[in-house]
């Protein structure tokens, strides 16, 4: 069988992503940072790219972590942009996200950073606080962006200390993938996937009776960690309070969520030891029926010959809630700022931001409401199906350094699933450790 296409959250990059947020901060701190009124501010024209670019030829470096099926789509967009702008040449460099987040701060400090970059929403505030990226209020004004045209969290995630530092590109939620052939083997209706706790458990029982472990419970951040986070929201809880000052995953909803996940193996619905990516491979080779995974897997599954479907996540806890992330455009600070490059970079960001439909075809949901409401997006059946979850999408608070805490959450998941640690005890222990990290970072970033 074809192996999974590497998405933005590939095996290596996602395991390192939580640590990458802290790595970003520490590298920036070690390398120093440019002052808020650095030269890159002085050369910005203020029109955010709206006036186009008619200066001398410039070469722009664009870094991102689109190593999966979305990478070719972004590369095609870059090529189209270059063909339409004869005096701007954008070169796209793609790397694993963990490498990207570790390299960017030191590259910016040394004066060798890219002109344009992409960040996940939970990294924007950290990098803004460390002066790795520059404000983009002028670009938002040029695009006539309005809060009313965006999902709330992706929009507000780009704001730090009263300034906009990022332009939302998309949201990418979890979805519920199912193998129709495997469902039929257990007598289930392949056109009626389960939607809530009772129907999901009934389906798992039918699959178990047919000798099929219906939902493989991964102990890894990708995708077990994302799934348990969604479950915590569904049981009425959260990972942090709204202000991002308190770790809350050790409370009762977190215990219920992790217990449900651990019990998948205890009750025979999942193997006891699921390897990284094995849950997704099992869906593709017909060993399991259900898999919770990201929207980025749509295009990979389209390349297979299996009969599959995708639906919103079943609401196991009854309160609704789906893990989601968001890609955002950023402009790194420049030690030796160039007025021509500054303007050309803004022209590029403005142009790409208007290509929502093409980007949606890469397996994403456009961040703009207006883009999601077009007939062209509605025609993308799988993407528009997962976009139905918009009101249930949940994101961690966008405060500097919060991603540093997530390694503790991942440890709780791993030890509960693989080592049999009591969910309540391990969640309480890791929440306590994460709170210490959160408190330390609050002091660090407020200084």
């Amino acid at each position: 069988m074809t192996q999974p296409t590497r998405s933005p959250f590939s095996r290596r990059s996602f395991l390192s992503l939580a640590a990458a947020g802290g790595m970003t901060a520490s590298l920036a701190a070690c390398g120093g940072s440019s002052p808020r009124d650095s030269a890159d501010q002085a050369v910005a024209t203020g029109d955010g790219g709206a006036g186009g670019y008619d200066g001398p030829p410039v070469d722009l470096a664009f870094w991102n972590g689109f190593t999966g099926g979305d990478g070719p789509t972004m590369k095609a967009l870059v090529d189209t942009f270059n063909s339409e702008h004869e005096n701007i040449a954008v070169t796209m460099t793609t790397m694993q996200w963990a490498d990207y987040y570790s390299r960017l701060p030191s590259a910016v400090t040394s004066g060798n950073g890219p002109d344009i970059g992409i960040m996940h929403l939970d990294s924007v505030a950290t990098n803004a606080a460390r002066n790795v990226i520059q404000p983009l209020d002028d670009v938002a004004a040029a695009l006539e962006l309005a809060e009313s045209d965006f999902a709330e969290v992706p929009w507000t995630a780009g704001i730090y200390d009263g300034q906009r530092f990022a332009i939302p590109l998309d949201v990418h939620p979890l979805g519920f993938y199912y193998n129709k052939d495997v469902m039929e083997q257990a007598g289930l209706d392949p056109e009626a996937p389960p939607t809530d706790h009772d129907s999901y458990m009934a389906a798992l029982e039918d699959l178990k009776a047919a000798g099929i472990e219906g939902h493989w419970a991964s102990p890894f951040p990708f995708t077990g960690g994302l799934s348990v986070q969604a479950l915590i929201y569904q049981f009425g809880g959260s990972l942090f309070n709204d202000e991002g000052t308190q770790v809350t995953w050790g409370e009762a909803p977190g215990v219920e969520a992790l217990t449900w996940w651990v019990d998948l193996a205890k009750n025979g619905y999942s193997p006891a030891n699921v390897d990284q990516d094995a849950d997704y491979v099992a869906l593709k080779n017909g060993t399991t029926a259900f898999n919770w995974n990201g929207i980025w897997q749509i295009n990979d599954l389209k390349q297979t010959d299996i009969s599959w479907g995708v639906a919103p996540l079943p609401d196991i806890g009854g309160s609704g809630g789906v893990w989601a992330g968001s890609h955002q455009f950023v402009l790194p600070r420049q030690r030796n700022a160039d007025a021509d490059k500054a303007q050309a970079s803004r022209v590029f960001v403005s142009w790409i931001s208007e290509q929502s439909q093409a980007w949606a075809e890469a397996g994403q949901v456009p961040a703009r409401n207006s883009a999601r409401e077009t007939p062209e997006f509605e025609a993308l059946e799988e993407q528009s199906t997962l976009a139905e979850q918009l009101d249930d999408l949940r994101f961690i608070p966008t405060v500097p350094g919060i991603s540093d805490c997530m390694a503790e959450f991942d440890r709780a998941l791993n030890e509960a699933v693989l080592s049999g640690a009591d969910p309540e005890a391990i969640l309480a222990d890791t929440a306590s450790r994460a709170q210490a990290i959160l408190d330390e970072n609050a002091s660090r970033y407020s200084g």
Side-chain angles (χ1 to χ4, degrees):
M1 296 296 294
T2 302
Q3 291 300 306
T5 299
R6 288 297 167 216
S7 67
F9 298 96
S10 67
R11 174 189 304 190
R12 186 162 68 92
S13 65
F14 198 92
L15 289 174
S16 303
L17 191 55
M23 189 182 303
T24 298
S26 61
L27 284 173
C30 292
S33 57
S34 54
R36 278 288 172 89
D37 58 350
S38 62
D40 55 36
Q41 298 277 35
V43 300
T45 64
D47 76 351
Y53 177 71
D54 58 5
V58 292
D59 295 317
L60 302 179
F62 173 32
W63 288 10
N64 62 62
F66 296 133
T67 58
D70 44 11
T73 300
M74 182 58 76
K75 180 61 167 61
L77 287 171
V78 169
D79 290 344
T80 300
F81 174 87
N82 286 339
S83 70
E84 296 179 4
H85 299 78
E86 61 181 16
N87 53 350
I88 306 176
V90 178
T91 299
M92 183 170 115
T93 299
T94 302
M95 64 196 79
Q96 295 291 341
W97 284 113
D99 296 333
Y100 170 86
Y101 283 118
S102 66
R103 286 179 57 185
L104 183 63
S106 56
V108 168
T109 299
S110 66
N112 297 309
D115 301 286
I116 307 149
I118 294 284
M119 283 186 178
H120 295 92
L121 85 169
D122 55 348
S123 295
V124 172
T126 301
N127 285 281
R130 289 298 176 182
N131 296 326
V132 175
I133 55 179
Q134 56 182 288
L136 294 178
D137 294 290
D138 58 323
V139 179
L143 288 169
E144 299 181 348
L145 301 184
E147 182 176 2
S148 60
D149 194 30
F150 287 86
E152 179 182 359
V153 175
W155 172 259
T156 58
I159 300 173
Y160 175 73
D161 199 21
Q163 294 181 292
R164 173 160 296 282
F165 284 85
I167 303 296
L169 177 62
D170 62 44
V171 292
H172 39 266
L174 280 186
F176 171 34
Y177 296 92
Y178 49 96
N179 187 311
K180 295 182 178 182
D181 293 334
V182 178
M183 290 179 68
E184 287 186 322
Q185 292 173 30
L188 299 173
D189 183 351
E191 303 305 325
T195 60
D196 56 18
H197 176 274
D198 291 347
S199 60
Y200 204 77
M201 300 310 297
L204 290 179
E205 279 293 329
D206 288 343
L207 288 160
K208 180 180 176 181
I212 300 166
E213 293 167 317
H215 185 154
W216 289 26
S218 171
F220 294 94
F222 177 79
T223 55
L226 306 187
S227 299
V228 174
Q229 289 178 47
L231 287 164
I232 291 175
Y233 302 132
Q234 292 184 3
F235 279 103
S238 62
L239 277 73
F240 304 89
N241 64 354
D242 291 343
E243 296 75 23
T245 58
Q246 296 292 322
V247 179
T248 57
W249 70 61
E251 296 175 359
V255 176
E256 290 183 271
L258 185 54
T259 299
W260 187 87
W261 192 252
V262 169
D263 284 350
L264 289 175
K266 286 185 177 180
N267 294 328
Y269 307 132
S270 168
N273 298 297
V274 177
D275 199 0
Q276 178 70 54
D277 292 335
D279 53 332
Y280 181 60
V281 173
L283 179 83
K284 293 172 68 175
N285 66 22
T287 306
T288 192
F290 303 149
N291 182 242
W292 296 7
N293 217 306
I295 192 173
W296 51 84
Q297 300 293 22
I298 288 172
N299 286 345
D300 179 57
L301 285 168
K302 284 184 175 181
Q303 298 174 26
T304 70
D305 57 4
I306 67 172
S307 179
W308 63 279
V310 65
L313 282 191
D315 188 359
I316 303 301
S319 296
V322 179
W323 176 93
S326 170
H327 295 119
Q328 310 240 338
F329 268 112
V330 296
L331 296 184
R333 290 184 179 270
Q334 305 297 323
R335 170 176 282 185
N336 300 306
D338 180 295
D340 292 325
K341 285 192 172 186
Q343 176 67 4
S345 296
R346 285 164 167 78
V347 170
F348 175 77
V349 171
S350 296
W351 187 90
I352 293 283
S353 296
E354 294 171 345
Q355 313 304 312
S356 293
Q357 178 62 24
W359 185 237
E361 292 174 6
Q364 309 287 345
V365 176
R368 301 182 72 160
N369 300 335
S370 54
R372 293 192 303 274
E373 294 166 357
T374 62
E376 291 80 6
F377 179 73
E378 292 177 1
L380 298 174
E381 181 179 354
E382 294 84 5
Q383 285 92 325
S384 58
T385 293
L386 293 188
E388 295 172 7
Q389 305 175 118
L390 189 67
D391 291 341
D392 285 331
L393 300 188
R394 303 289 184 268
F395 307 80
I396 67 173
T398 54
V399 300
I402 199 166
S403 293
D404 297 356
C405 299
M406 295 309 297
E408 288 295 331
F409 179 83
D410 297 338
R411 184 169 73 87
L413 167 71
N414 193 268
E415 292 191 14
V417 175
L418 294 181
S419 303
D422 174 62
E424 182 173 10
I426 192 63
L427 285 171
D429 179 56
T430 56
S432 177
R433 293 172 183 270
Q435 186 64 53
I437 295 170
L438 200 60
D439 293 342
E440 180 181 351
N441 278 344
S443 176
R444 175 192 302 172
Y445 288 106
S446 64

